[in-house]
Amino acid sequence: MFDKEIYIRRRAELKKSVKSGRILLLGNGEAPMNYRGNTYSFRQDSSFLYYVGLDTPGLMYLLDIDNDREYLLGDELTLDDIIWMGNLPSLKERAVAVGIETIVPTSKLSSLIDLNRIVHYLRPYRYRNQLILSELLSKKNDEILNGYSVELTKAVVAMRLIKSKEELMELENAGKIGYAMHIVAMKMCQPGVSEQEIAGTIEGLAIADGNRVSFPTILSMNGQTLHNHDHSGILSLGRLMLCDAGAENNNHYASDFTRTTAVGGKYSEKQKNIHNIVLEALNASIAMAKPGITYKSVHRNAYKIIFESLRDLGLVKGDTEEALNAGVPALFMPHGLGHALGLDVHDMEDLGETYVGYDDEIQRDTLFGYSSLRFGKRLQSGHVLTVEPGIYFVPQLIEKWEKEKINADFIHFKEVKKYLNFGGIRLEDDIVITDAGCRPVYEERLPVTIEEIQKIIIY
Ligand code: GLY
Ligand code: MN
Ligand code: MN
């Protein structure tokens, strides 16, 4: 938790950005895993954390803009709570710690709500919070989901997107844990070792040094599956291990790195070639990222590098601009170049990816590949983003394009099919946009060239 002045300042700024009515921020409740008393480990809502800072379940925050009052809603601990969970700080003490003077029992929430005045809330992503809003506002579930406040959403996105100094320090700490996770994964990347053992070991590091992983670890020899959570493989020579993993630190900020390593550090020519193309796309993207440039154009430039380099390898052909306009590189990289990073690994995706990544000026493309870009906006100092180009050979996608002759004029399918067992390579770094350009969130960069990676694996 930060100093209370930070939360007081954030709430004051929020109040200025929303004209009238009441703002209701719902914290999360406990979520049962298989029965009520056996819960998933608690994760507070990120916007609630940002404005209120309190990391305990069952809280709400109400800001009455019209009357200039604010309330923390929750219930004091019962003796039973204390017997089972310990003598935690009282609700009053927790409220004081974040600069809120008035606490109100949860049951009194409706008495503070005037249904004739607007109630601004963020789009709920948990059923519990949908239900609370539905009962409070006497609306059906789908009305609740569609009735979120665009004004509040835009105000929250604008504030959370620009990271402050203290947030950058937290992100750096998450980066440091993520760095350690990846070094261990690389060292363990030896033939005969199971994917599960590596995934479990690095997840343990995230828990030992921080709060948890920032998302379920992706670790597989089948890196062509973009979000592969199946860790049942046993590493074998000749294969690649794609590891996309990060930590959520104790203050809930995230890191998100990807490295792809050849098992035992032994790279084939094909693997070296593809690795070096992805690395070039990564480095060129980082070199290009600076205030004033749109991330959409950085994504397109990564596609350009991938297309032209694969053309040099004989996998594709034709004019670069025509190929880019036709979306040819999406066959090899069917995802976006990156996303905002912060309290969430895909920061604020619960509020709507388009509010986070696009605006009146920069709109999302509809073409396959480009349409998956989560963040296309013009970059500003204080944005924190991932940069994660990749090249994958997805057999089913290649088959479909060949069968349906999609972009057939640009693709040497016979050559591409020589890579059907390749898997995929993704390399992902986390950057912060500065006045001058950008810098890594955590200063030490993970080994990224083949030589650097080999030094870690072959020890
Ligand atoms: N961790 C999933 C991603 O890189 O977006
Ligand atoms: Mn990732
Ligand atoms: Mn990512």
Side-chain angles (χ1 to χ4, degrees), residues 10 43-51 125 153 156-164 167-168 171 214-215 248 251-256 338-358 364 374-377 382-386 388 428 430-431:
R10 287 176 180 172
R43 177 54 157 85
Q44 184 57 286
D45 174 76
S46 297
S47 293
F48 192 86
L49 274 177
Y50 184 84
Y51 290 105
Y125 53 90
T153 301
V156 170
V157 168
M159 287 180 68
R160 283 182 55 190
L161 209 46
I162 305 295
K163 270 56 179 185
S164 62
E167 289 189 285
L168 290 174
L171 284 158
S214 52
F215 59 95
E248 176 183 310
N251 274 332
H252 305 291
Y253 283 83
S255 59
D256 180 13
H339 49 84
L341 181 73
L343 282 163
D344 312 302
V345 66
H346 289 181
D347 211 21
M348 296 175 276
E349 200 161 290
D350 60 314
L351 305 183
E353 206 181 290
T354 300
Y355 290 116
V356 181
Y358 294 90
R364 186 191 290 271
R374 291 187 155 93
F375 191 97
K377 275 181 185 171
H383 284 164
V384 172
L385 296 165
T386 67
E388 47 182 306
E428 177 175 23
D430 302 340
I431 58 166

Side-chain angles (χ1 to χ4, degrees), residues 121 123-125 127 130 140-148:
Y121 63 87
R123 195 174 198 271
Y125 53 90
Y127 289 122
Q130 288 173 24
K140 293 207 187 85
N141 197 38
D142 56 345
E143 290 175 292
I144 288 296
L145 288 176
N146 294 326
Y148 66 90

Side-chain angles (χ1 to χ4, degrees), residues 8 22 74 112 119 142 167 169 206 278 310 340 364 397 451:
I8 293 170
R22 285 161 178 76
L112 296 173
V119 179
D142 56 345
E167 289 189 285
M169 282 167 66
V278 178
L310 292 179
R364 186 191 290 271
L397 184 62
E451 297 70 29

Side-chain angles (χ1 to χ4, degrees), residues 190-193 221 233-241 262-264 271:
Q190 302 290 349
V193 180
M221 290 180 290
I234 307 290
L235 300 188
S236 59
L237 279 177
R239 301 289 304 271
L240 295 163
M241 180 187 82
V263 175
Q271 289 167 345

Side-chain angles (χ1 to χ4, degrees), residues 379-398:
L379 300 176
Q380 284 180 46
S381 184
H383 284 164
V384 172
L385 296 165
T386 67
V387 192
E388 47 182 306
I391 294 181
Y392 316 84
F393 295 88
V394 185
Q396 296 82 349
L397 184 62
I398 294 165

